[in-house]
Amino acid sequence: MAVMKFGGTSVENADAMQNVINIIKTEKQHKIPLVVLSACAGITNKLEKIADAAADNRSDEALHWADEIQKHHETIAENLLKEPQTVASLKALIKEYIDDLKTLINGVDIVGELTARSMDVFYSYGELLSTNLLAAGLKEQGVDTFWLDARDVLITDDNFGKAQPLWDLTMKSLQGMVLPELQGGNVVVTQGFIGRNRSGKTTTLGRGGSDYSAAIFGALLKRTKIQIWTDVDGVLTCDPRLVPEAKRLKVITFNEAAELAYFGAKVLHPATIHPAVTENVPVYVKNSKRPEIEGTLITNDPGLLEGASYDGLVKSIAYKTSQSIVSIKSNQMLGAYGFLAEVFQIFANHKTPVDMISTSEVSLSLTINNTQRLRQIMHDLEHKAEVDVEHDVAILCVVGDKLRSSPGVSGRIFNALKNVNIRMISQGASEINVGFVVAESDLQKAASALHHEFFTGHFNEKIFA
Ligand code: ASP
Ligand code: MG
């Protein structure tokens, strides 16, 4: 039995939802699936804007955007559903959710403060709305369907905005509420991303967390597979917008997938990997717009990996744009201790994650993506050191399990990039990636050169499609 997770673009409008319904119908002939959905594309971001506006005394704007969200889902209901009665009852339900959202907006406006706890309630409307629409569509088209409030099964800790599941409780409620429905022949449709703590308050797993929900459900219910349906054909050797000759990987290991995710391949939330790996549930990444394509299988199962051995070094090249390099230079670093701790504390104080670092005796370069607090960070750092910032750079990263045991990789990278100015380089502790930083204007050139170096002549049909 499958857990099928559909991302925001797979449910963005009525056509996309109809596609999803068709995919579910096909899967159902086989075995009754558990379906996990994201919010419709763009809605989670909009809810974030709404929450910010409410906290910022701009509730007029917030309420206006809430109306837009209502309209968006009403339009899907009108285009997806045939029966006027179903359309009407769905619209009434949408209105109920939007009324609640508006109450929340007014509350936050009055208090003038947005806590992580309230943010999670804002977020929850996206997934609650999308799942209700899809469930109604399935039912209307004759598919026995049970709409499940994920918060009744995904029980989490109190870490609002970044909650972790409480495994035993979640397992128990899944077994009590989901298994009987599936066994009774109902497709179960539920939300990704959201859960509830033990006192019943809505929590979320962090942005992009629907994949994690799917993996949690798949692992706990010991499903035979987890499908992550998205808008790309699977995991590719590189983003085809950068390198048109990029190919799809038929299979990769969990380690490789995790590294790619950390380094910006938008296919999988890194945390997804964890529960699926523990229970060894294979994960398939597939394109909901082109379901006939087999996608990419991510697994550590030796049986499934059989025949997938590959004599090339690199499996894929990932990248992240919109990075900034912060270079810190200080003689205080020489032979001293505690300096780096102080530097990182400053970034921590400003809640700014650091992605890549490289150090020498008296200097340190690091990359950040979130520059919202950069001015304050600079201010704090300048007491201690000389600081330089370079914007518009990208992290590029080559990933492959074989990098671990292969000498000469950096030589090949440098050689391939001889015409590109490499701003930073670092080999990950996992030893299966080498990452470096280039100017965004060099990104395409660098990616093409690397792709050519590592893949041309290595397109083994067993693992590339
Ligand atoms: N809708 C949530 C987000 O956009 C969760 C998800 O899509 O995975 O972050
Ligand atoms: Mg998503």
Side-chain angles (χ1 to χ4, degrees):
M1 269 191 251
V3 171
M4 312 174 80
K5 181 262 168 175
F6 295 89
T9 51
S10 299
V11 291
E12 64 191 337
N13 53 35
D15 283 348
M17 285 220 188
Q18 185 56 52
N19 247 336
V20 168
I21 291 175
N22 298 342
I23 292 170
I24 293 171
K25 284 180 180 163
T26 310
E27 179 65 32
K28 182 180 170 275
Q29 293 167 357
H30 195 62
K31 272 272 159 71
I32 309 289
L34 166 62
V35 177
V36 177
L37 296 191
S38 289
C40 303
I43 297 297
T44 308
N45 287 342
K46 203 157 198 172
L47 288 164
E48 221 166 72
K49 272 179 31 184
I50 288 176
D52 285 338
D56 192 30
N57 266 195
R58 290 179 285 121
S59 54
D60 286 355
E61 257 169 85
L63 292 168
H64 169 73
W65 288 326
D67 288 334
E68 285 182 3
I69 291 185
Q70 178 170 5
K71 186 88 209 63
H72 180 89
H73 291 88
E74 283 177 354
T75 307
I76 297 181
E78 282 160 6
N79 294 326
L80 179 69
L81 305 167
K82 310 265 160 336
E83 294 294 325
Q85 230 169 334
T86 339
V87 176
S89 70
L90 242 290
K91 281 188 173 177
L93 184 64
I94 294 168
K95 182 168 181 307
E96 264 177 53
Y97 281 125
I98 299 296
D99 286 347
D100 287 351
L101 172 61
K102 289 181 172 172
T103 308
L104 181 62
I105 292 171
N106 290 325
V108 168
D109 180 39
I110 291 167
V111 181
E113 186 195 19
L114 178 65
T115 58
R117 183 187 284 249
S118 345
M119 190 60 237
D120 281 352
V121 184
F122 276 104
Y123 279 139
S124 65
Y125 293 107
E127 271 72 10
L128 290 168
L129 286 162
S130 67
T131 48
N132 270 290
L133 283 169
L134 187 86
L138 280 164
K139 280 185 197 159
E140 203 188 64
Q141 296 180 36
V143 179
D144 295 329
T145 302
F146 177 74
W147 178 86
L148 172 73
D149 189 329
R151 296 170 299 180
D152 293 340
V153 290
L154 184 50
I155 314 301
T156 74
D157 60 18
D158 300 333
N159 207 349
F160 295 95
K162 201 96 196 118
Q164 283 296 328
L166 299 174
W167 297 97
D168 290 346
L169 290 175
T170 302
M171 168 84 118
K172 239 172 101 200
S173 35
L174 280 172
Q175 279 170 347
M177 297 185 68
V178 174
L179 284 184
E181 293 296 336
L182 293 172
Q183 279 153 5
N186 285 321
V187 170
V188 175
V189 175
T190 197
Q191 306 81 42
F193 181 48
I194 65 174
R196 241 199 288 264
N197 71 2
R198 268 165 303 183
S199 21
K201 298 293 175 219
T202 300
T203 55
T204 66
L205 305 178
R207 289 301 307 271
S210 295
D211 296 342
Y212 192 26
S213 300
I216 293 166
F217 297 151
L220 287 180
L221 290 169
K222 305 224 179 332
R223 297 295 92 173
T224 49
K225 60 183 175 190
I226 296 165
Q227 297 173 334
I228 304 289
W229 290 86
T230 171
D231 55 0
V232 293
D233 289 344
V235 182
L236 306 185
T237 52
C238 193
D239 183 338
R241 285 169 303 184
L242 275 191
V243 180
E245 59 275 23
K247 292 235 185 327
R248 173 168 57 87
L249 289 146
K250 291 185 182 169
V251 41
I252 59 173
T253 65
F254 280 117
N255 273 344
E256 291 167 335
E259 290 301 324
L260 288 172
Y262 292 134
F263 280 95
K266 284 168 199 72
V267 185
L268 273 184
H269 188 282
T272 304
I273 304 304
H274 172 67
V277 179
T278 326
E279 291 299 324
N280 209 8
V281 185
V283 177
Y284 293 82
V285 177
K286 287 178 65 89
N287 188 344
S288 64
K289 307 271 148 62
R290 310 208 290 167
E292 65 289 353
I293 292 176
E294 75 182 315
T296 298
L297 163 63
I298 308 173
T299 183
N300 282 349
D301 191 321
L304 291 172
L305 281 167
E306 211 180 60
S309 91
Y310 164 54
D311 57 357
L313 275 181
V314 171
K315 289 266 187 71
S316 187
I317 300 169
Y319 70 96
K320 272 188 192 172
T321 55
S322 305
Q323 306 293 311
S324 299
I325 300 180
V326 181
S327 302
I328 300 159
K329 212 191 281 171
S330 168
N331 290 330
Q332 281 182 45
M333 272 174 88
L334 193 62
Y337 49 82
F339 185 83
L340 292 181
E342 286 172 35
V343 166
F344 286 113
Q345 190 56 50
I346 291 173
F347 284 86
N349 292 344
H350 294 288
K351 295 194 161 55
T352 300
V354 170
D355 280 332
M356 191 188 273
I357 53 173
S358 78
T359 59
S360 73
E361 195 60 43
V362 293
S363 71
L364 162 71
S365 297
L366 50 82
T367 64
I368 59 173
N369 162 245
N370 179 348
T371 51
Q372 263 175 12
R373 312 265 307 167
L374 184 56
R375 215 160 33 86
Q376 293 91 323
I377 292 172
M378 298 271 290
H379 175 264
D380 292 357
L381 284 172
E382 271 158 1
H383 292 301
K384 304 184 188 305
E386 239 175 83
V387 188
D388 243 353
V389 178
E390 185 180 341
H391 294 293
D392 303 323
V393 298
I395 299 180
L396 250 174
C397 168
V398 300
V399 172
D401 269 344
K402 288 232 173 106
L403 291 180
R404 205 194 303 265
S405 49
S406 313
V409 179
S410 331
R412 284 178 67 184
I413 292 173
F414 283 122
N415 192 44
L417 297 182
K418 57 181 176 281
N419 297 321
V420 176
N421 184 8
I422 300 178
R423 307 285 304 103
M424 270 172 74
I425 179 154
S426 114
Q427 169 143 27
S430 67
E431 294 178 39
I432 69 165
N433 78 72
V434 181
F436 37 91
V437 179
V438 299
E440 269 181 9
S441 53
D442 281 338
L443 178 62
Q444 178 141 28
K445 186 162 85 174
S448 304
L450 286 170
H451 200 271
H452 184 79
E453 168 68 25
F454 286 106
F455 292 108
T456 303
H458 279 290
F459 282 125
N460 173 338
E461 269 169 35
K462 282 184 286 193
I463 76 155
F464 297 106

